[in-house]
Amino acid sequence: MTLRALSGGILGAIALLACAPGDASRSAVPAGQSGIAALPAPSVNGEAPARIYTLDEKLAMFREGLEEPAALSGGAASREALIRRFTTAVERRDTAAVRELVLDRAEFAWLYYPTSPYTRPPTVQEAPLAWFLLVENSQKGITRAFNRFGNTGAVYADHRCDPEPVREGSNRFWRECVVVLRTSLEGTVTRRLFGNIIERDGRFKFFTYANDF
């Protein structure tokens, strides 16, 4: 089964979850940020060894067909505005709205991955795999948020995140965020409804919709 097939599902309308890494191409590119050499794999039954690609080559293949973004698109101009929009979208089960609020594939490939922990030990991970896992967890999280708070009259009341963001290159990440909601069924509740928030050049988006549900 391809990564395109695996990343489909209940929120196929969400562009974040509908795009799968472009692993099909096998064109080589010069080494870039990782500088990890490609080594031949041992031959099996006398057959030619399989080609092993560097992180840079995998990233180049992942980027194929993606226009390089100059900045984060959509999202919001503040953390509170982003979370307010998210709360409204969840209550309305608005897939188009949540699509605009979360990091997309091109932003992941060009603005996030090159300075992420995935490009260096001990957390090295190829861009296609890192994106696939992010999509899987995000899909589960937003689906559960819709199921729990959709059509419940949920209204944003407040939120809290760690007081200081974590910096990765030009990106800042706000972690451990929780949202205070007023709902018609449960009263006032405090929940972690999403993962980290990425901030870049004064623009805020969700890095993932993974949550506690």
Side-chain angles (χ1 to χ4, degrees), residues 6-119:
L6 287 173
S7 61
I10 191 168
L11 294 182
I14 301 179
L16 165 71
L17 308 179
C19 298
D23 258 343
S25 171
R26 290 293 181 266
S27 58
V29 297
Q33 83 276 358
S34 69
I36 299 176
L39 301 176
S43 61
V44 179
N45 298 327
E47 297 180 1
R51 173 78 159 84
I52 296 181
Y53 295 88
T54 67
L55 290 182
D56 295 330
E57 291 171 327
K58 281 287 190 178
L59 178 58
M61 290 186 281
F62 181 72
R63 284 173 170 174
E64 287 183 359
L66 300 175
E67 183 176 349
E68 180 177 359
L72 295 178
S73 63
S78 72
R79 202 173 66 194
E80 180 176 331
L82 180 73
I83 299 173
R84 282 183 178 275
R85 289 186 61 189
F86 172 79
T87 302
T88 300
V90 168
E91 202 284 328
R92 296 176 179 174
R93 297 175 177 263
D94 189 339
T95 58
V98 296
R99 178 180 60 225
E100 296 177 356
L101 301 179
V102 72
L103 195 74
D104 64 30
R105 182 178 168 181
E107 292 164 345
F108 178 91
W110 292 99
L111 304 181
Y112 166 72
Y113 183 84
T115 57
S116 75
Y118 294 131
T119 62

